[in-house]
Amino acid sequence: MDSRGKISEAGQQLQQQADVVFNGKNCNPASATNNQQVFLVVEEPEAGLPVSVHPPLMFSFNERIRPLLDAVDKLRHLKVAQEGIQLPTIVVVGDQSSGKSSVLESLAGISLPRGQGICTRVPLIMRLQRHQDPQPELHLEYHGKVVPTDDTHIAEAIVFATNEIAGNGKGISNTPLTLVVKKRGVPDLTMVDLPGITRVPVHGQPEDIYEQISEIIMEYIKPEESIILNVLSATVDFPTCESIRMSQRVDKTGERTLAVVTKADKAPEGLLEKVTADDVNIGLGYVCVRNRIGEESYEEARVEEASLFQTHPLLSKIDKSLVGVPVLAQKLVQIQATIISKCLPDIVRKINEKLNSNISELSRMPQNLSSVTEAMTEFMRIIGFSKESLRKILLRGQFEELPYQDDERMHCPARLVEMLNQFADELQKSAENKSTEKFLVDEMRVLDETKGIGLPNFLPRTAFLVILQKKVKEISKTPVDFMAEVWDYIETVLITVLMNHCENYPQLQSATRRATHNLVAKMKHKSFERVMEMVEMERLADCTCSTEYMSDWGKLMAQQNVFMEVMNDHSKPTIITIEGFGEIEVGHLRGHNSDVRDQAFDMKMRITAYWKVVLKRFVDNMALHLLLSVQNLVNRDMEEEIVTELMGSQGGGPSVIQRMLEESPSTAKKRERLNKSIKLLKESKEVVAQIIDRITVDD
Ligand code: GDP
Ligand code: MG
């Protein structure tokens, strides 16, 4: 059987045993009528409480419940709540002066601090443990220390500890204080007393005292594992109680709420009706009590209480299963057994789950590198992985398994194509925008300036080159700007990928960042040189082996007839449509020398056909240049640059790598947190394993 099975089986056994022990009839104590059978709690008559339970049976029950309760208390002490594991807890809530402390005192048989306003200013975890020795043993646990105390000094000691935790003023704190009471005759119970709810801050209390207290109370009563012990004064109308409103917010049906009605002696009228009408949905029932008054001893108080409920004309009518501190104690012990047995399997599961997930998280964390060799290996690994990632996303456009699926900036080939297309458009535009002159005027001026002695029907090549050079000059800035933009983009991609790969090593990150920046600056410089060279080449000569040039020129020249007709026939409209130019005004050309004009037309068509070739060549060359540069960068230059940067810094040498790979404080903290948490969970697991062992042995 697995541990879960064992524990839940043990829980069921416990539950059955609890029923037998407490009722003798295997039924809910609320329905028990014989008060002899519900008065139990202790088997030692000298403790002053009525005894009725068959001692061996009671003993056997306590033997069963103790290890479970101890285990839960140990888990509480280990602070498993920090790991998000809730423990079954009885939480005492109530409005101010409803009698919370008095009820706890009655259960523990000790004096807690009393006073005006709030004296419970921190959660007080009260651990009551049955004890064989007639000498009680009391101590406080807080801030990691154990402070022994005794019956007469306990109140003082609590006040002292509270001041230490929450300050001397009237403020409150969420840090709990644990009080352990080992005493004859007390029930085995662990409860948490919380500050009383107060609407109006008294002098010296913070303005938001209500919110602060509500927050603490909510934190304790919210978990399903908490039993709410709602302390109500018989002197008030229950529906108006703030504590009722709070518990109803987290436990609407009241299935985990038990009500204790105090001060029964002060307001006996109508109490029976109040608890039977149950206007406020108390699922676990009511217990009416009369606490210690004045200087009575606890023994006297119990005797007074018993006789009050026995003899008072109104109070004696209330069913005996609903009155008295011993009944309350017994109910609480039973509820506690039930809830612990119900919760333990879940706690075991949660401990295991948490432990496993923490262990695997720790194993996924980078190793703490303690030697140069380890650091070197890790460094090579980082470089290797970075290269592989960059090859994928920059060169091949594979980004599926990297963390960049949804980041469009990182879909590099697509972005580069977009940039190139945009560059081609811009190149086209920057060439067009500049020609503001009227049709052919520029060409004719150039022809005029380059004319030489010779036959008129030869197109001077110099003229063509002048026009070409002018055009190339006009666009020469665009490729330079484009290169700068592309390299800036590539730099962001490089940084993103590299930073990701060395995210655990902040020093390596900054060195890598510097290296990348230097490297991209170098690449940019090389590209600028390359672009300038391309510009120079285009300016130097006109040349292409593309057949497109000839065919384009031919198509354009086919329109010369239309042009000439308009030039010669003055009756025709002066706006003509030439393909590749759109609608053009040509009226200004009519008076010109027809030789020059026709040559200008021819030249315009040649340059137009050739310009297409030039622009295409620019874009193609740039694209190829970029591809080659990026490839060299990823495969060769990057690694070299990073190593050079690292070796050059901090005196150089391989030990630099080790220093660079020192983990960040946040990683170190995370590792520490995980290790701590794993230790705690392992201890908790040990605690639970011990119970399972005991259960198995007992069986
Ligand atoms: P807390 O603020 O809820 O902790 O309330 P306390 O336990 O300090 O009680 C408030 C006052 O009510 C104290 O003066 C107690 O003595 C008194 N008190 C509590 N329970 C009873 C009771 O059953 N009968 C009577 N007569 N007084 C009680
Ligand atoms: Mg109190």
Side-chain angles (χ1 to χ4, degrees):
M1 193 190 294
D2 68 358
S3 59
R4 252 194 99 162
K6 275 180 197 157
I7 288 201
S8 50
E9 190 188 65
Q12 279 167 13
Q13 285 177 7
L14 249 177
Q15 184 56 51
Q16 286 160 9
Q17 226 166 347
D19 288 342
V20 172
V21 171
F22 291 123
N23 306 313
K25 290 177 184 164
N26 205 7
C27 63
N28 191 304
S31 63
T33 47
N34 183 344
N35 71 345
Q36 282 300 329
Q37 262 173 338
V38 285
F39 275 178
L40 62 118
V41 187
V42 283
E43 74 265 39
E44 300 94 337
E46 55 280 47
L49 289 171
V51 173
S52 65
V53 175
H54 194 250
L57 202 55
M58 185 63 206
F59 182 74
S60 148
F61 175 75
N62 278 328
E63 283 300 287
R64 285 279 183 172
I65 181 70
R66 269 310 285 272
L68 286 182
L69 186 54
D70 283 349
V72 172
D73 284 338
K74 256 186 223 159
L75 293 177
R76 199 185 313 278
H77 185 74
L78 285 172
K79 299 200 172 69
V80 288
Q82 284 173 353
E83 301 298 325
I85 298 168
Q86 297 293 345
L87 294 171
T89 309
I90 296 173
V91 186
V92 184
V93 298
D95 294 6
Q96 230 175 67
S97 294
S98 57
K100 291 179 302 302
S101 300
S102 303
V103 168
L104 291 172
E105 285 181 345
S106 298
L107 289 167
I110 52 155
S111 298
L112 294 173
R114 291 283 181 88
Q116 287 301 306
I118 37 170
C119 15
T120 311
R121 297 191 288 127
V122 300
L124 175 72
I125 300 170
M126 205 154 121
R127 253 161 66 192
L128 306 183
Q129 295 183 1
R130 229 165 46 94
H131 191 58
Q132 299 300 330
D133 196 326
Q135 193 59 36
E137 225 183 276
L138 281 79
H139 67 258
L140 290 172
E141 293 172 5
Y142 64 103
H143 284 179
K145 38 182 190 185
V146 175
V147 183
T149 178
D150 58 45
D151 261 354
T152 44
H153 296 98
I154 182 66
E156 248 175 83
I158 291 177
V159 170
F160 186 83
T162 303
N163 286 344
E164 204 169 312
I165 296 171
N168 288 321
K170 296 192 172 159
I172 59 166
S173 163
N174 201 0
T175 308
L177 166 66
T178 301
L179 164 63
V180 179
V181 179
K182 296 182 183 173
K183 205 174 170 181
R184 271 191 148 186
V186 297
D188 273 304
L189 270 178
T190 300
M191 290 167 295
V192 185
D193 186 18
L194 294 176
I197 308 159
T198 167
R199 265 286 178 198
V200 196
V202 299
H203 183 69
Q205 278 178 350
E207 272 304 307
D208 63 342
I209 189 81
Y210 174 77
E211 285 73 24
Q212 284 190 33
I213 294 177
S214 308
E215 209 173 290
I216 297 181
I217 293 178
M218 275 310 193
E219 184 191 317
Y220 276 87
I221 64 176
K222 217 173 188 173
E224 287 291 315
E225 293 82 359
S226 292
I227 294 293
I228 306 167
L229 184 63
N230 215 321
V231 179
L232 308 165
S233 165
T235 58
V236 303
D237 203 14
F238 297 164
T240 66
C241 287
E242 199 65 45
S243 64
I244 285 287
R245 274 189 232 165
M246 282 198 133
S247 70
Q248 281 181 344
R249 266 167 58 194
V250 293
D251 179 28
K252 282 201 181 52
T253 56
E255 60 181 347
R256 50 188 181 91
T257 305
L258 174 71
V260 184
V261 184
T262 61
K263 308 185 193 176
D265 56 314
K266 273 184 146 179
E269 296 83 16
L271 186 55
L272 173 62
E273 290 71 27
K274 265 171 143 173
V275 299
T276 38
D278 186 22
D279 289 336
V280 288
N281 271 344
I282 303 291
L284 295 173
Y286 293 79
V287 181
C288 304
V289 299
R290 173 214 179 269
N291 290 309
R292 190 173 67 123
I293 297 172
E295 297 307 308
E296 286 173 2
S297 72
Y298 287 101
E299 291 73 25
E300 286 161 4
R302 290 290 71 77
V303 174
E304 287 296 327
E305 181 186 57
S307 90
L308 177 72
F309 287 113
Q310 204 76 59
T311 57
H312 190 280
L314 292 170
L315 297 178
S316 60
K317 293 209 174 76
I318 305 176
D319 192 293
K320 290 297 169 283
S321 66
L322 303 181
V323 298
V325 169
V327 169
L328 176 64
Q330 166 244 312
K331 272 202 185 183
L332 287 174
V333 170
Q334 194 197 19
I335 288 169
Q336 184 177 250
T338 312
I339 181 132
I340 290 178
S341 55
K342 201 175 115 196
C343 292
L344 261 177
D346 232 26
I347 292 174
V348 173
R349 183 180 56 77
K350 280 185 193 157
I351 289 175
N352 283 329
E353 269 175 23
K354 256 259 130 72
L355 186 60
N356 290 340
S357 95
N358 280 351
I359 287 174
S360 78
E361 195 176 342
L362 188 67
S363 72
R364 282 197 308 272
M365 279 189 73
Q367 286 172 3
N368 197 7
L369 311 166
S370 50
S371 70
V372 173
T373 321
E374 270 176 18
M376 212 59 197
T377 315
E378 173 68 3
F379 175 69
M380 313 268 269
R381 202 186 60 85
I382 291 173
I383 292 290
F385 280 130
S386 302
K387 264 171 142 180
E388 192 46 38
S389 296
L390 285 169
R391 265 184 214 124
K392 278 185 184 156
I393 68 166
L394 265 174
L395 304 175
R396 292 185 225 136
Q398 300 170 332
F399 37 79
E400 312 83 47
E401 84 266 40
L402 291 160
Y404 311 118
Q405 276 115 324
D406 301 323
D407 185 355
E408 287 188 358
R409 289 275 312 157
M410 301 300 282
H411 300 178
C412 298
R415 297 295 84 77
L416 286 173
V417 169
E418 268 171 24
M419 282 178 174
L420 274 166
N421 286 339
Q422 204 186 350
F423 167 62
D425 284 354
E426 250 158 50
L427 214 49
Q428 187 75 40
K429 265 189 242 146
S430 66
E432 281 164 6
N433 287 348
K434 303 284 161 35
S435 49
T436 47
E437 290 236 41
K438 287 180 176 168
F439 191 58
L440 297 190
V441 170
D442 201 26
E443 284 78 5
M444 289 193 301
R445 190 173 44 235
V446 171
L447 281 168
D448 220 27
E449 291 307 311
T450 52
K451 65 181 177 241
I453 300 164
L455 292 174
N457 64 341
F458 283 92
L459 192 61
R461 185 149 175 273
T462 338
F464 184 83
L465 282 177
V466 168
I467 297 269
L468 176 66
Q469 280 164 2
K470 239 171 111 182
K471 277 178 92 79
V472 171
K473 193 166 172 247
E474 276 163 4
I475 57 132
S476 59
K477 207 177 154 294
T478 313
V480 177
D481 290 350
F482 167 71
M483 272 303 168
E485 188 194 330
V486 170
W487 280 114
D488 287 345
Y489 167 69
I490 291 172
E491 184 170 343
T492 63
V493 173
L494 289 174
I495 295 277
T496 310
V497 173
L498 287 166
M499 292 305 107
N500 254 339
H501 280 285
C502 45
E503 65 179 342
N504 294 312
Y505 309 105
Q507 305 199 61
L508 183 62
Q509 275 192 331
S510 52
T512 308
R513 200 184 282 272
R514 276 196 307 275
T516 311
H517 190 72
N518 292 344
L519 180 60
V520 170
K522 280 185 201 164
M523 301 305 284
K524 223 185 231 180
H525 183 73
K526 265 193 215 162
S527 290
F528 285 168
E529 279 181 348
R530 185 88 187 85
V531 168
M532 294 322 289
E533 200 179 77
M534 285 182 213
V535 170
E536 271 314 296
M537 291 188 308
E538 297 298 348
R539 277 160 59 99
L540 181 71
D542 48 339
C543 146
T544 181
C545 58
S546 156
T547 52
E548 229 172 292
Y549 165 71
M550 283 309 286
S551 66
D552 279 358
W553 177 66
K555 272 183 220 150
L556 288 166
M557 284 308 280
Q559 305 177 86
Q560 196 172 21
N561 285 340
V562 183
F563 174 66
M564 276 157 94
E565 266 169 38
V566 175
M567 288 297 107
N568 299 331
D569 184 349
H570 287 226
S571 66
K572 291 211 165 160
T574 56
I575 292 182
I576 58 166
T577 306
I578 298 182
E579 221 185 295
F581 298 89
E583 287 191 343
I584 303 166
E585 166 62 51
V586 291
H588 60 281
L589 296 169
R590 272 190 178 145
H592 276 274
N593 173 321
S594 67
D595 284 347
V596 179
R597 195 180 56 202
D598 292 347
Q599 265 192 350
F601 186 90
D602 187 354
M603 194 156 76
K604 180 100 189 165
M605 297 308 132
R606 283 170 205 242
I607 201 88
T608 305
Y610 184 60
W611 192 240
K612 259 171 83 180
V613 175
V614 171
L615 292 188
K616 221 185 244 169
R617 198 154 50 198
F618 255 121
V619 178
D620 287 351
N621 277 336
M622 303 268 272
L624 289 172
H625 164 75
L626 273 175
L627 281 182
L628 181 67
S629 304
V630 172
Q631 177 151 321
N632 285 342
L633 173 114
V634 173
N635 288 340
R636 199 184 61 201
D637 304 341
M638 188 186 77
E639 184 170 358
E640 202 181 297
E641 188 71 35
I642 293 176
V643 172
T644 313
E645 174 70 38
L646 287 188
M647 291 304 172
S649 63
Q650 295 183 23
S655 62
V656 155
I657 303 265
Q658 195 186 359
R659 254 172 286 152
M660 286 282 167
L661 291 175
E662 262 166 23
E663 63 187 6
S664 70
S666 71
T667 312
K669 256 201 206 113
K670 187 177 170 191
R671 188 197 310 281
E672 193 187 312
R673 179 178 63 71
L674 282 173
N675 275 325
K676 245 189 185 162
S677 165
I678 288 171
K679 182 169 171 273
L680 187 151
L681 289 164
K682 277 189 175 152
E683 280 170 27
S684 309
K685 208 177 155 170
E686 185 63 26
V687 167
V688 186
Q690 277 166 13
I691 312 176
I692 298 170
D693 286 349
R694 282 188 76 144
I695 292 167
T696 320
V697 171
D698 288 358
D699 292 344

